[in-house]
């Protein structure tokens, strides 16, 4: 019975942390340039959209529901998330763009870009799927790796494994948990969203300063889906997901930075992981936040959201015609609000400076306009915040 | 010295890792040919650092947002990414494999020596359970949850447990929370004062405040002295769990049963 329960909890977390975001990512995937249309990019894109949708629905519920807010939030978010994932999967099946991008036929190799047949023109068998799956490791790490490169990759995975082991076996004390984790727990046990004083349990008015940063409610959503105590989800489960996902983001950043020298990618990843482990030069650094408060929204902002802005700007610079990255940037700025309201302000500053310099680099006024357009969701968040506090 | 410099110093700790970052930026300034990369990882961060250091930015930020979080502007500097990228780029530029191998080890050692090992932090300890909460807090909270007749639990805990109790169960309300424990926030709570600021806990004074608030559980560490036996005042010692004495205030328990208990059925 216990094994069955653990299995169901594992499957539920897998669905809500990996499968649904990934399938959601299939929606924008077809618009991502083919060179970057990898499972990692699709997952990250899907995860950003997933968070943004959660943020939007949560804010509406938090501001309006006095009682039973968590139940209402789940009632609205669950079908929307599943619908987005189903839409992503459905469009992928009907008009493939990812899984069946290449297939050998008697007439040569067919790809999505040169009219791989949609479902109504396709035969029942699709050998390209298996081929694509078996090619994934090669696509991720590159072809014909030297033993040295493999060794450095191994070193990186040992460092990552060490961090995950420490995340699971070590407890990190942080006073802010008494606020954020308890908000998650109140939402699960009592259904109130930001309407109870977390330190003592007294009733209070809606806390506007934090009400728009709904990362604790995202933890509660996972806890509800998997039927696990939110504190366990936050402290013991989320780091096992968030840390690898952060490294997936750094991997993508490294790929963009080192695009002509991909054999150096494992070196980049080893250095990044060492800096995470040894970045605790003060209690304030983003490395310290990510490693010691992984489950808090502000750590998510420091470790994921802010680097993700750089990642998207690297892609925008690389593929300036791909509108999908501007779309994702706009969504990301909005999703930054899930981690903390301050994150949106910080990200807007970062985007403005990035946009300014890249506009000079591209010598394009339109670039500035696109940057401004991407800031609209973030600006809406800021206006909402200023109205509410 | 402008306050922003002090904030930067506090943020960068020993300053070695930040020096390594500035060295990496300088290296890229001379070697990076891609203009868009120069814009993204050299010019933008340097501009942001300059903006951060301006006292006027600090003043504006503090007025509009929160002075305590000003250091978070430094999160916008891609310190780790820049060091890792410049390191990888430098090693790739080396012609001999043997140089690359030695260079990788040397740069890794530099990072290790320049940084501070996160797991040596005094705030990190071996996890006692999957909640990552002190076992004693979990056990005492669980005891009280099982003992309570209604879902009305209002408790006083020693300050060492205040951060954790409600992370285990939000059904337990606390007489004082974390906000009282943070000195710079300047909150005063008379129950906290009686419990923590005196060598001997004055039970009579404590109950004078807790009873009107219907606080029905009082937890005291067994080493703490009380001016009289708490049981003489209507408290019942339920048990000692992990060195914590769990008292139920029977007078309050009866009052809850006769008045508001019906509105808090046990779930």
């Amino acid at each position: 019975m216990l094994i069955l329960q653990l299995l169901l909890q594992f499957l539920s977390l897998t669905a809500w942390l990996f499968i649904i975001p990934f399938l959601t990512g299939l929606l924008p995937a077809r618009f991502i340039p083919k060179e970057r249309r990898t499972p990692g990019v699709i997952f990250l894109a899907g995860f950003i959209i997933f968070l943004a949708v959660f943020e939007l629905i949560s804010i509406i519920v938090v501001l309006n529901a006095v009682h039973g807010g968590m139940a209402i939030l789940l009632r609205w978010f669950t079908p929307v998330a599943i619908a987005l994932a189903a839409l992503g999967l459905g469009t992928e099946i009907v008009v493939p763009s990812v899984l069946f991008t290449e297939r050998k036929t008697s007439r040569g190799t067919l790809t999505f870009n040169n009219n791989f047949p949609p479902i109504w023109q396709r035969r029942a068998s699709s050998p390209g799927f298996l081929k694509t799956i078996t090619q994934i490791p090669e696509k991720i790490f590159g072809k014909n790796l030297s033993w040295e490169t493999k060794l450095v990759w191994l070193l990186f995975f040992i460092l990552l494994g060490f961090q995950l082991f420490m995340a699971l076996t070590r407890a990190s004390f942080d006073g802010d948990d008494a606020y954020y984790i308890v908000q998650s727990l109140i939402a699960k046990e009592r259904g109130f969203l930001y309407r109870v004083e977390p330190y003592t349990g007294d009733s209070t008015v809606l806390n506007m300063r934090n009400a728009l940063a709904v990362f604790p409610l995202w933890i509660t959503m996972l806890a509800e889906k998997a039927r696990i105590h939110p504190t366990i989800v936050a402290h013991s489960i989320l780091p096992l997901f968030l840390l690898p996902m952060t490294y997936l983001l750094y991997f993508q950043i490294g790929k963009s930075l080192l695009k002509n020298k991909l054999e150096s990618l494992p070196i980049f990843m080893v250095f990044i992981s060492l800096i995470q482990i040894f970045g605790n030069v003060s209690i304030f650094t983003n490395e310290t936040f990510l490693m010691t408060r992984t489950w808090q929204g502000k750590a998510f902002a420091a470790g994921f959201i802010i680097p993700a802005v750089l990642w998207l700007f690297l892609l925008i610079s690389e593929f300036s015609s791909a509108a999908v990255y501007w779309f994702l940037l706009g969504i990301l700025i909005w999703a930054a609000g899930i981690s903390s309201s301050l994150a949106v302000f910080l990200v807007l500053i970062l985007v403005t400076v990035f946009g300014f310099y890249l506009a000079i680099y591209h010598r394009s006024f339109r670039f500035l306009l696109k940057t401004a357009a991407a800031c609209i969701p973030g600006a809406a968040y800021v206006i909402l915040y200023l109205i509410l506090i | 010295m402008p306050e922003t410099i002090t904030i930067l110093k506090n943020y960068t700790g020993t300053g070695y890792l930040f020096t390594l970052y500035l060295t990496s930026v300088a290296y890229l300034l001379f070697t990076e040919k891609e203009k868009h990369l120069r814009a993204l990882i050299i010019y933008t961060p340097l501009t942001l650092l300059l903006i951060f250091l301006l006292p006027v930015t600090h003043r504006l930020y503090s007025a509009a947002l929160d002075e305590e979080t000003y250091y978070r502007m430094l999160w916008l500097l891609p310190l780790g990414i820049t060091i890792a990228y410049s390191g990888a780029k430098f090693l790739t530029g080396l012609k001999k494999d043997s140089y690359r191998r030695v260079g990788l080890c040397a740069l890794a050692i530099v990072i290790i020596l320049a940084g501070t090992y996160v797991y040596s932090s005094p705030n990190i300890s071996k996890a006692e359970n999957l909640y990552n909460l002190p076992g004693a807090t979990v056990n005492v909270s669980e005891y009280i949850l099982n003992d309570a007749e209604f879902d009305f639990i209002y408790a006083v805990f020693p300050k060492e447990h205040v951060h954790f109790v409600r992370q285990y169960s939000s059904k337990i309300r606390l007489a004082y929370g974390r906000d009282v424990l943070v000195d710079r926030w300047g909150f005063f709570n008379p129950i906290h004062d009686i419990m923590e600021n005196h060598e001997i806990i004055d039970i009579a004074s404590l109950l004078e405040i807790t009873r009107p608030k219907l606080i029905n559980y009082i937890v005291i560490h067994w080493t703490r002295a009380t001016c009289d036996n708490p049981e003489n005042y209507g408290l019942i010692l339920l048990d000692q769990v992990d060195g914590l004495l769990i008292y139920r205030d029977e007078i309050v328990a009866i009052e809850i049963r006769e008045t508001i208990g019906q509105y808090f059925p046990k779930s």
Side-chain angles (χ1 to χ4, degrees), chain A residues 116-137:
Chain A
F116 180 79
I119 195 166
W120 52 89
Q121 293 171 8
R122 201 184 316 148
R123 289 180 189 172
S125 63
S126 291
F129 176 75
L130 192 63
K131 190 185 164 198
T132 310
I133 292 289
T134 53
Q135 281 177 342
I136 285 177

Side-chain angles (χ1 to χ4, degrees), chain A residues 102-116:
Chain A
E102 285 187 345
R103 188 171 66 137
K104 287 270 183 198
T105 70
S106 55
R107 289 173 292 174
T109 302
L110 289 178
T111 67
F112 174 68
N113 286 343
N114 55 7
N115 301 323
F116 180 79

Side-chain angles (χ1 to χ4, degrees), chain A residues 147-148 152 155 162-164 166-179 181-182 185-186 189-190 196-202 209 229 231-232 235-236 243 250 253 256-261 263-265 267-272 274-289 291-293 295 298-299 301-302 306-307 310 313-314 317-318 340 342 345-347 349-350 353-354 357-358 361-363 385 389, chain B residues 7 9-17 20 32 34-37 39-41 43-45 47-48 51 61 64-66 68-69 71-89 91-93 97-98 100-101 103-105 107-109 111-121 123-133 154 162-179 185:
Chain A
W147 68 268
E148 222 170 326
V152 185
L155 180 60
F162 172 69
Q163 288 170 57
L164 297 181
M166 295 303 267
L168 192 61
T169 59
R170 295 295 183 273
S172 174
F173 169 75
D174 185 76
D176 286 352
D177 279 359
Y179 188 92
I181 300 279
V182 177
L185 199 51
I186 292 167
E189 291 182 338
R190 300 176 62 187
V196 172
E197 165 60 53
Y199 297 141
T200 57
D202 296 339
R209 189 164 173 261
H229 195 287
T231 308
I232 294 179
H235 285 157
S236 291
L243 289 178
Y250 288 136
I253 291 172
S256 288
L257 289 170
L258 296 158
K259 56 179 182 292
N260 300 322
K261 309 172 270 292
E263 69 279 5
S264 301
L265 197 50
I267 299 174
F268 174 84
M269 295 304 288
V270 165
F271 286 157
I272 278 282
L274 280 175
I275 290 164
Q276 293 300 335
I277 297 172
F278 290 91
N280 180 39
V281 292
S282 73
I283 57 168
F284 307 114
T285 68
N286 37 11
E287 289 81 13
T288 304
F289 267 73
M291 301 301 278
T292 63
R293 317 170 167 210
W295 48 88
K298 47 189 127 177
I306 292 171
L310 173 63
F313 268 104
L314 283 166
S317 310
E318 227 175 303
S340 78
L342 178 62
F345 289 94
L346 291 178
V347 163
I349 294 171
L350 185 62
V353 183
F354 273 153
Y357 277 115
L358 286 177
Y361 161 64
H362 287 286
R363 294 178 187 193
Y385 180 81
I389 59 166
Chain B
I7 296 169
K9 274 188 172 176
N10 290 339
Y11 182 89
T12 55
T14 59
Y16 297 134
L17 205 58
L20 187 61
E32 185 55 63
E34 299 261 10
K35 282 185 182 167
H36 73 280
L37 291 189
L40 291 174
I41 57 175
Y43 303 142
T44 298
T47 307
L48 289 167
I51 292 172
Y61 184 102
L65 298 162
D66 175 11
E68 274 191 20
T69 61
Y71 69 88
R72 290 186 196 163
M73 273 191 74
L74 294 169
W75 287 355
L76 300 178
L77 308 183
L79 180 140
I81 290 165
T82 310
I83 294 174
Y85 172 57
S86 61
K89 187 179 164 74
L91 293 181
T92 313
D97 283 352
S98 54
R100 249 198 307 277
R101 282 172 213 145
L104 174 63
C105 295
L107 282 176
I109 290 169
I111 291 171
I112 290 167
L113 292 177
T116 307
Y117 185 54
V118 67
Y119 302 114
S120 66
S121 160
N123 291 332
I124 292 185
S125 58
K126 200 165 185 300
E128 293 182 48
N129 45 53
L130 286 174
Y131 299 97
N132 286 8
L133 301 175
Y154 203 178
V162 161
H163 281 97
F164 307 110
V165 172
R166 286 178 52 75
Q167 290 187 56
Y168 182 71
S169 174
S170 66
K171 288 178 184 168
I172 301 174
R173 289 170 63 207
L174 291 179
Y176 54 88
R178 179 221 183 184
D179 44 356
W185 292 354

